[in-house]
Amino acid sequence: MIFSLLSALCWSLFDIARKELAQQVSPKFLSLAMSISVLPLFFFLWGIQGFYLPSTSYYIPATISGVLAAIGSVCFMLAISKGKLAIVLSITACTPFISAVFSLLFLDELLSKFEWLGIVLVVFATMLLAGTSINTREKSSSYALLTAFAWGICIVFDKQALTYGSSSFHGMFLTSTIIAVLSISLRVDSQWRVLLKNFKWWLIAVMVFFGAVFLQFSALEYLNPGVVEAIKRGIGIVLAVIIGRVYYQETLSSKQVTGVCLVLVATYLFM
């Protein structure tokens, strides 16, 4: 549980750093740059652990996870470029439910009634915090739905892959796959000089991104993928709301306060 909570905290800090950097560089390049920047950290960690290679059973689920993660990233960028972010967030809030269902199908992992209730509360709370309802007529809805399925399923294959290989090697392999897919599917202009001018935020983004991914892999060793995804989405968006209130002086509506309370209740049910 502690790994999952710390991962959610890192994801929230990453969102802040990414928000700052996105004002200077394109989202497409930023997604690619983050994967490239974090790759040496996973390689270094893999080296510390002895450069152990996983068994052959590792590569199929790991490759599927990497491709799905890359597809999710591309679809997410297309979704936010074509529609309202609030609607996209509302649709992608369904990822914990998707992860829970597919973990049952592929991993035979059953959730308790309290865990299912917690997931339902997180999904509902995230929609409240997003500030809008799902609108299937919105141009971005189809891309957001693809994002939800890609991200919701890839974490299931992450857990399957981690049973055959270390988290450090998986982080390296996963980011390498994402880099390859994004490089092939996206045409992006190099903006490394702009990142260097914003070195502080770039460094923060890389470190918390590395922490978020590594801690999430660690959490998957103990928790169901649906629960990990629910905690990440729920705590992540709650921290984003709190940070937005403190850092950006944003006001909180009664609906958002209700959403925060629901996420806290859900987190308690997962314990």
Side-chain angles (χ1 to χ4, degrees), residues 17-25 30 195 198 201-202 205:
R18 182 168 52 180
K19 182 176 181 179
E20 293 290 336
L21 290 172
Q23 297 176 12
Q24 307 295 327
V25 299
L30 187 57
L195 277 182
N198 296 271
W201 283 113
W202 181 21

Side-chain angles (χ1 to χ4, degrees), residues 195-213:
L195 277 182
L196 285 173
K197 291 180 180 179
N198 296 271
F199 182 77
K200 180 184 71 173
W201 283 113
W202 181 21
L203 180 62
I204 292 173
V206 171
M207 296 308 296
V208 295
F209 181 46
F210 171 77
V213 175

Side-chain angles (χ1 to χ4, degrees), residues 38-251:
V38 81
L39 183 60
L41 295 178
F42 280 113
F43 181 80
F44 178 73
L45 185 61
W46 182 46
I48 291 177
Q49 295 178 347
F51 291 114
Y52 293 113
L53 291 172
S55 66
T56 55
S57 301
Y58 163 84
Y59 292 97
I60 291 179
T63 302
I64 293 173
S65 175
V67 172
L68 286 173
I71 290 173
S73 297
V74 173
C75 289
F76 182 76
M77 289 184 292
L78 290 171
I80 61 177
S81 67
K82 294 179 179 295
K84 297 178 181 178
L85 180 60
I87 292 177
V88 175
L89 291 177
S90 295
I91 295 175
T92 55
C94 299
T95 53
F97 178 77
I98 295 171
S99 298
V101 171
F102 276 86
S103 65
L104 175 62
L105 295 176
F106 289 98
L107 305 176
D108 292 325
E109 291 191 359
L110 295 174
L111 290 175
S112 67
K113 293 180 180 179
F114 285 115
E115 288 174 327
W116 275 114
L117 178 59
I119 287 175
V120 171
L121 288 176
V122 166
V123 172
F124 180 67
T126 306
M127 291 180 180
L128 281 179
L129 291 169
T132 188
S133 59
I134 296 175
N135 184 355
T136 55
R137 295 181 180 180
E138 180 74 23
K139 293 181 179 179
S140 61
S141 295
S142 57
Y143 289 113
L145 190 60
L146 286 173
T147 301
F149 271 94
W151 284 350
I153 300 172
C154 78
I155 193 174
V156 176
F157 284 100
D158 279 336
K159 181 159 188 175
Q160 190 175 44
L162 287 167
T163 60
Y164 304 108
S166 66
S167 56
S168 57
F169 182 86
H170 185 55
M172 187 178 63
F173 185 87
L174 192 67
T175 50
S176 298
T177 305
I178 293 172
I179 291 169
V181 174
L182 291 180
S183 299
I184 295 171
S185 60
L186 296 178
R187 293 182 179 180
V188 294
D189 297 324
S190 177
Q191 295 179 284
W192 291 107
R193 290 184 179 180
V194 181
L195 277 182
L196 285 173
K197 291 180 180 179
N198 296 271
F199 182 77
K200 180 184 71 173
W201 283 113
W202 181 21
L203 180 62
I204 292 173
V206 171
M207 296 308 296
V208 295
F209 181 46
F210 171 77
V213 175
F214 183 75
L215 288 166
Q216 181 172 300
F217 291 162
S218 300
L220 285 172
E221 295 182 26
Y222 306 98
L223 297 175
N224 180 276
V227 173
V228 174
E229 189 68 17
I231 294 173
K232 180 177 75 175
R233 296 289 170 191
I235 298 297
I237 198 167
V238 166
L239 289 175
V241 169
I242 294 174
I243 292 170
R245 175 69 183 91
V246 175
Y247 189 76
Y248 297 105
Q249 301 300 310
E250 297 174 352
T251 58

